[in-house]
Amino acid sequence: MVYTKEHMRSEKNKQLFPKDFLWGASTAAHQVEGGNYNQWSVWELAHAAELAKHAKKTYGWLLNWEDVKPLASQPENYVSGRAVDHYRRYEEDFDTAKSLNLNAFRFSVEWSRLEPECGQWDETEVAHYRQYIQELKARGLEPFLNLWHWTVPVWFAEMGGFAKRRNLHYFERFVRKIAEEYADDIKYVITVNEPNTYVANSYANGKWPPAEGNIVKACWVYLNLISAHKRSYKILKSAKKSLQIGAAPQLGNIQAKRPHNPLDQLSTKLMRYIWNWFFLVATKRQLDFIGFNYYFTDYFTGMFKRQNPGVPLNDMGWYAEPEGLYPILLRTWARFKKPIIITENGIADAQDQYRRWWIEESIVAMERAISEGVDIRGYFHWSLLDNFEWSDGWWPKFGLVAVDREHGMKRTVRPSARWFADRIDKLQS
Ligand code: BGC
């Protein structure tokens, strides 16, 4: 047998990933389901026209502005609406995930569907998610249930949402319901998604609902989300001890621009602590695994000034350094010594020019880290489908699978996804 370089590489590396490694894709209810009524959908309708009007100011600097312009200048871009109709097409989407050799799937349950009025459960929706979980399992896709991915029922937002400590009691009641209904059917739960990003955009810079720019409040909400995690952990563990529970903060590979400059080192250290570690340190006793989402490598200089290389950039103008996953894996492992699951990782790339490179570099980063003893148990790509990218709307394309919302929500598997499927197959065989 002739061994090609590619073959030898995969021969050696395939032992690195454990047999039961979780290869998954990640989604969030509001971004894919369609027909949601929550604090985000209300905000979208109120702000779509204004966001469209300012599209040039917001995105005009992008090199791909001409491609972005047609969608970004229309108010409909900023409305989740029917989303990608995943609420009704989930079986087809799970079949696609399976055909891509995935064995795990991360989704969120939409609180506003389950409890549309305070204290009133919609049993049809409860049954919907039960069926949803069953369909995943029937296909050999391990369900990763995420309790909260930034959306809340309108009644909860009107009461002050997570900014009021006493409101945590409502979230706990929701978690108890989830535990009661689904704990027997699942092994993994993620409590909160990117509490750091949420607090930054919703309460510190005021970009997202409730659009407050109040740093003190932002810190308070952060502390409340830490408590929300801890209380959820307790509720879920008393429902089923064997549940594996984690959270999904966003961790950045934060580096000093000038490695030996004391000021750059200081801002880097502080940024790492505030952005990356604060939540994990506060919750470490209530984490069975460390989940994190990786998208960003950022170089800091002077007083917290970000200064990244000019290329490569994703469609949204984000500096793309997929290999930055390696240092963040090492540092996370050194700090917590707990199993790690990468709960999101991906790139906005409408032309599918960079996605394969991004995934390949991410796999290599994991291989490096595993070879040094880091215990990584899973990788979830963001996302299975093109989806509603929050205040940026529909134009950014993160999907392994493209969705044509103009033509019957047609799904088309991107070439990079086929390559990924093949890679998973090789790594597992
Ligand atoms: C979020 C997703 C989002 C993705 C790309 C993560 O911050 O959890 O909801 O779509 O990044 O921006």
Side-chain angles (χ1 to χ4, degrees):
M1 185 180 214
V2 180
Y3 278 88
T4 60
K5 256 197 200 150
E6 158 87 359
H7 190 152
M8 289 185 68
R9 198 175 148 258
S10 63
E11 278 300 297
K12 265 194 225 140
N13 293 351
K14 77 180 177 198
Q15 297 117 25
L16 283 172
F17 287 96
K19 261 261 166 284
D20 54 357
F21 192 83
L22 296 160
W23 292 103
S26 205
T27 57
H30 188 66
Q31 296 179 268
V32 290
E33 282 185 344
N36 283 340
Y37 174 69
N38 53 36
Q39 103 282 22
W40 256 96
S41 66
V42 170
W43 184 86
E44 288 158 23
L45 292 175
H47 292 82
E50 185 193 332
L51 290 168
K53 197 167 137 213
H54 294 126
K56 179 138 197 235
K57 206 166 127 217
T58 319
Y59 306 115
W61 61 279
L62 293 171
L63 291 174
N64 51 336
W65 163 241
E66 286 305 320
D67 302 330
V68 169
K69 192 171 157 187
L71 263 183
S73 313
Q74 289 173 33
E76 303 80 67
N77 176 66
Y78 303 95
V79 179
S80 57
R82 293 169 58 222
V84 291
D85 202 20
H86 177 69
Y87 185 80
R88 291 189 304 157
R89 293 172 196 233
Y90 64 89
E91 289 180 61
E92 174 193 342
D93 293 336
F94 295 167
D95 287 340
T96 308
K98 189 68 198 161
S99 77
L100 294 176
N101 295 330
L102 302 179
N103 60 12
F105 192 80
R106 180 186 153 192
F107 65 99
S108 66
V109 282
E110 179 61 33
W111 183 7
S112 63
R113 282 186 185 278
L114 292 162
E115 193 181 1
E117 298 298 335
C118 181
Q120 287 175 24
W121 302 106
D122 184 330
E123 294 302 331
T124 317
E125 298 290 3
V126 173
H128 168 84
Y129 287 115
R130 176 164 304 109
Q131 188 60 29
Y132 188 97
I133 293 168
Q134 292 316 330
E135 295 296 341
L136 282 170
K137 291 171 69 168
R139 290 165 178 79
L141 293 163
E142 184 66 51
F144 261 64
L145 186 152
N146 176 15
L147 294 171
W148 178 73
H149 202 122
W150 301 343
T151 52
V152 296
V154 171
W155 58 262
F156 182 76
E158 282 170 353
M159 283 179 186
F162 286 108
K164 294 257 163 59
R165 193 146 189 96
R166 63 170 180 271
N167 289 351
L168 288 184
H169 139 85
Y170 298 108
F171 187 69
E172 285 173 60
R173 186 174 64 187
F174 163 64
V175 178
R176 263 195 297 276
K177 177 76 173 167
I178 298 293
E180 221 171 83
E181 298 289 345
Y182 311 124
D184 286 346
D185 296 326
I186 54 176
K187 288 193 203 145
Y188 296 93
V189 177
I190 291 169
T191 55
V192 293
N193 178 70
E194 295 196 8
N196 45 358
T197 309
Y198 174 75
V199 160
N201 287 326
S202 290
Y203 289 93
N205 67 31
K207 196 174 150 198
W208 293 350
E212 300 205 23
N214 178 338
I215 194 75
V216 177
K217 204 166 187 181
C219 295
W220 183 239
V221 175
Y222 206 21
L223 295 177
N224 287 342
L225 288 170
I226 287 171
S227 301
H229 168 84
K230 290 183 175 176
R231 296 185 195 183
S232 306
Y233 185 89
K234 205 164 153 204
I235 294 167
L236 292 160
K237 280 286 182 185
S238 49
K240 185 177 170 186
K241 211 158 170 268
S242 63
L243 275 180
Q244 292 301 293
I245 303 167
Q250 192 226 89
L251 301 192
N253 172 32
I254 299 170
Q255 299 290 353
K257 182 81 188 172
R258 297 166 295 178
H260 302 293
N261 179 287
L263 196 55
D264 292 16
Q265 283 171 345
L266 182 69
S267 11
T268 300
K269 278 222 160 75
L270 287 172
M271 276 309 292
R272 280 182 188 164
Y273 195 80
I274 299 164
W275 188 257
N276 286 350
W277 308 132
F278 189 79
F279 181 90
L280 291 174
V281 167
T283 55
K284 67 172 184 259
R285 276 201 292 276
Q286 291 85 16
L287 293 170
D288 298 322
F289 62 89
I290 306 285
F292 70 80
N293 301 346
Y294 172 75
Y295 294 92
F296 298 102
T297 285
D298 284 316
Y299 293 88
F300 278 88
T301 188
M303 294 296 288
F304 305 107
K305 212 172 150 253
R306 201 164 38 196
Q307 205 179 82
N308 287 337
V311 288
L313 302 180
N314 81 2
D315 288 352
M316 299 173 83
W318 301 355
Y319 168 61
E321 194 174 303
E323 62 273 31
L325 180 60
Y326 168 70
I328 193 67
L329 279 167
L330 284 198
R331 262 185 251 122
T332 306
W333 174 247
R335 229 172 216 279
F336 301 102
K337 286 275 181 316
K338 290 196 188 211
I340 296 175
I341 296 177
I342 296 147
T343 39
E344 278 182 39
N345 173 261
I347 185 161
D349 178 20
Q351 302 303 323
D352 206 35
Q353 304 172 64
Y354 293 121
R355 194 169 284 102
R356 174 184 159 166
W357 160 74
W358 177 279
I359 298 172
E360 182 154 26
E361 289 289 349
S362 304
I363 293 175
V364 173
M366 288 191 280
E367 287 171 341
R368 286 197 181 114
I370 296 173
S371 80
E372 293 190 73
V374 180
D375 183 1
I376 312 175
R377 304 275 174 95
Y379 169 88
F380 286 75
H381 192 78
W382 182 271
S383 181
L384 180 70
L385 306 162
D386 285 344
N387 58 66
F388 182 68
E389 182 55 21
W390 306 108
S391 59
D392 296 297
W394 287 106
W395 69 262
K397 309 290 184 198
F398 275 93
L400 291 168
V401 178
V403 181
D404 187 346
R405 297 182 75 239
E406 302 300 311
H407 299 94
M409 302 278 177
K410 191 175 179 308
R411 271 81 166 140
T412 308
V413 173
R414 292 201 160 98
S416 58
R418 295 204 188 285
W419 176 88
F420 183 32
D422 189 48
R423 195 84 189 89
I424 295 174
D425 188 43
K426 284 195 185 114
L427 289 168
Q428 278 185 325
S429 59

